[in-house]
């Protein structure tokens, strides 16, 4: 009798495997030891190129506009986020990615583009294939460790097989009540912080072993959010105590950081116990909570810059500068509009001579470039 396929064999045999994985990603420290030719000298870049190191673009439809391809050629973007409307099938999006890589060959910044999507599992998937199980399915299974490893490997193999190198997953929110914001789409592993930490770190390790950087989100946690508290649509205030945030909601991030997670996405909710005046992704205090209290050294990334939660924080330009000033390394322009990303880049370039600390900004760009160089 033919022996059953291993988990890896099952993944490779299925659609998720595609052409196989990439070599494991190096850490930021290893990336910084790469030859200088692989890293840009920021002083040699134009203001728009320098600013572009910290912006992710998006675009509408199946065909990237010429303006996006020009931004890639000119080094005015760090990468691209893909959504369902950009993807007809795996071969089509692989072709698009190859076109972007060809355009990028002309860029003065030689480190690879960050090519990302949200492939969480369950209904939150932009690509067909793994991970098919939702986070809640994994957490509720008889063997959560097995399935967290399986889904992490599957996500990595799936994305790497078509040339993507960043997944905006896993969600580390610890949900509180059935049907609340995080539980509505089964995006949380569990109501238990320990279970979320275990499943999340296992997913991260398995995915990053396939050469695809993982993103833990949404720091410090959207688990307490009620069903109607959706930051994509409106301003959200979370009044959970600091002790509860730190003992429950931040707990999975300690394990994720120990597992070497490459990126952390911050929430757009306001956490009154930490900073009652600003959403987390615009708050130096909350970024400091992640950097100083938890010791995260990797790349911070905003949630969608066009989110309804930021409706009172001005234009794209103003939001981008506020986020960078707060300590966000990557600004996620995900409105499916190339001009949104271009506006953010132009605003950052202008602010570098005025309201933004150039030393801090270049340190952020260096973290992003170390991530890119290691993929």
């Amino acid at each position: 009798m033919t022996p059953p396929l291993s988990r890896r064999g099952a993944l490779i045999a299925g659609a998720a495997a595609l052409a196989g994985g990439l070599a494991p990603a190096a850490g930021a420290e290893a990336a910084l030891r790469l030859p200088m030719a692989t890293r840009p000298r920021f002083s040699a870049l134009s203001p728009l190129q320098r600013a572009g190191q910290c912006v992710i673009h998006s675009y509408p439809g199946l065909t990237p506009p010429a303006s996006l391809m020009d931004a890639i050629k000119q080094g005015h973007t760090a990468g691209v986020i893909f959504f369902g409307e950009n993807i007809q099938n795996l071969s089509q999006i692989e072709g698009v990615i190859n076109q972007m890589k060809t355009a990028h060959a002309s860029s003065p910044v030689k480190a690879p583009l960050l090519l990302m999507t949200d492939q969480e599992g369950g209904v939150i998937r932009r690509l067909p294939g793994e991970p098919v199980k939702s986070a809640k399915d994994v957490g509720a299974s008889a063997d959560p460790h097995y399935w967290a490893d399986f889904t992490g490997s599957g996500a990595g193999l799936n994305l790497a097989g078509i040339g993507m190198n960043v997944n905006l997953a896993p969600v580390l929110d610890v949900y509180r009540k059935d049907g609340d914001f995080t539980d509505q789409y089964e995006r949380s592993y569990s109501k238990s912080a320990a279970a979320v930490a275990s499943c999340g770190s296992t997913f991260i390790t398995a995915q990053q072993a396939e050469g695809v950087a993982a993103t833990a989100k949404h720091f410090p946690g959207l688990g307490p959010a009620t069903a109607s508290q959706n930051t994509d649509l409106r301003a959200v205030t979370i009044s959970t105590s600091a002790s509860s945030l730190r003992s429950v909601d931040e707990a999975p991030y300690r394990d994720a950081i120990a597992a070497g997670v490459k990126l952390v996405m911050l929430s757009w909710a306001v956490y009154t116990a930490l900073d009652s005046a600003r959403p987390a992704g615009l708050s130096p205090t909350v970024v400091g909570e992640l950097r100083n209290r938890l010791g995260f050294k990797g790349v911070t990334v905003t949630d969608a810059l066009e989110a309804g939660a930021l409706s009172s924080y001005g234009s794209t330009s103003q939001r981008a500068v506020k986020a960078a000033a707060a300590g966000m390394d990557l600004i996620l322009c995900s409105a499916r509009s190339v001009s949104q990303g271009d506006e953010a880049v132009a605003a950052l370039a202008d602010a570098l001579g005025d309201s933004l600390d150039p030393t801090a900004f270049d340190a952020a760009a260096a973290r992003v470039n170390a991530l890119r160089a290691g993929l």
Side-chain angles (χ1 to χ4, degrees):
M1 183 175 74
T2 304
L5 286 172
S6 65
R7 286 178 294 165
R8 181 62 54 85
L11 287 166
I12 292 174
L18 304 165
L22 301 175
E29 296 83 0
L32 288 170
R33 292 197 296 269
L34 293 174
M36 284 297 295
T38 67
R39 293 187 273 131
R41 296 190 309 275
F42 297 120
S43 61
L45 299 179
S46 73
L48 289 175
Q49 289 166 345
R50 191 176 169 199
Q53 302 311 296
C54 293
V55 174
I56 297 295
H57 276 69
S58 62
Y59 65 97
L62 296 175
T63 303
S67 58
L68 176 57
M69 303 307 280
D70 289 342
I72 291 171
K73 290 176 185 176
Q74 294 165 7
H76 292 174
T77 186
V80 179
I81 180 171
F82 300 95
F83 290 91
E85 70 178 85
N86 307 130
I87 301 167
Q88 186 174 51
N89 52 52
L90 294 176
S91 60
Q92 172 266 337
I93 194 62
E94 184 177 19
V96 167
I97 287 170
N98 287 336
Q99 292 171 21
M100 290 180 176
K101 290 180 177 179
T102 298
H104 179 61
S106 303
S107 170
V109 182
K110 298 307 178 186
L113 290 169
L114 297 174
L115 300 168
M116 61 183 64
T117 196
D118 295 273
Q119 193 75 0
E120 296 176 13
V123 298
I124 312 297
R125 291 181 296 159
R126 313 304 186 196
L127 297 171
E130 291 294 335
V132 175
K133 280 184 177 290
S134 69
K136 189 172 185 178
D137 288 338
V138 170
S141 69
D143 192 343
H145 178 84
Y146 173 96
W147 286 109
D149 180 74
F150 186 97
T151 52
S153 293
L157 287 165
N158 201 355
L159 270 64
I162 55 167
M164 293 189 194
N165 54 16
V166 177
N167 191 8
L168 297 176
V171 169
L172 296 187
D173 299 335
V174 183
Y175 81 99
R176 302 303 204 268
K177 297 179 180 179
D178 294 345
D180 67 14
F181 172 72
T182 306
D183 185 53
Q184 285 181 73
Y185 300 101
E186 300 190 353
R187 301 175 74 192
S188 173
Y189 289 109
S190 178
K191 295 178 184 176
S192 159
V196 173
S198 176
C199 290
S201 59
T202 299
F203 182 102
I204 288 162
T205 299
Q207 179 182 275
Q208 292 190 163
E210 304 302 338
V212 174
T215 308
K217 61 185 186 184
H218 309 79
F219 186 85
L222 284 173
T226 65
S228 64
Q229 288 186 303
N230 183 346
T231 57
D232 287 346
L233 304 178
R234 60 184 60 86
V236 171
T237 297
I238 292 176
S239 57
T240 304
S241 69
S243 61
S244 182
L245 286 172
R246 288 168 175 164
S247 63
V248 177
D249 299 285
E250 293 182 13
Y253 289 89
R254 297 190 192 96
D255 287 50
I257 292 166
V261 70
K262 304 293 185 185
L263 304 96
V264 171
M265 177 183 287
L266 275 79
S267 160
W268 284 140
V270 173
Y271 297 82
T272 55
L274 301 178
D275 184 343
S276 61
R278 289 166 289 197
L282 299 182
S283 169
T285 302
V286 181
V287 176
E289 182 90 355
L290 175 64
R291 292 285 191 204
N292 304 324
R293 190 169 181 278
L294 297 186
F296 180 61
K297 305 299 183 187
V299 171
T300 53
V301 58
T302 71
D303 206 340
L305 196 65
E306 67 279 5
L310 300 189
S311 59
S312 64
Y313 289 89
S315 64
T316 291
S317 297
Q318 292 167 317
R319 296 176 189 189
V321 172
K322 289 177 187 293
M328 300 307 298
D329 298 334
L330 271 179
I331 311 300
L332 188 61
C333 295
S334 53
R336 283 73 133 185
S337 165
V338 178
S339 62
Q340 182 200 26
D342 291 346
E343 185 179 338
V345 170
L348 293 172
D350 289 344
L352 277 169
D354 183 17
S355 59
L356 280 181
D357 176 356
T359 301
F361 187 87
D362 285 349
R367 284 188 291 271
V368 173
N369 199 255
L371 169 67
R372 294 169 65 179
L375 294 173

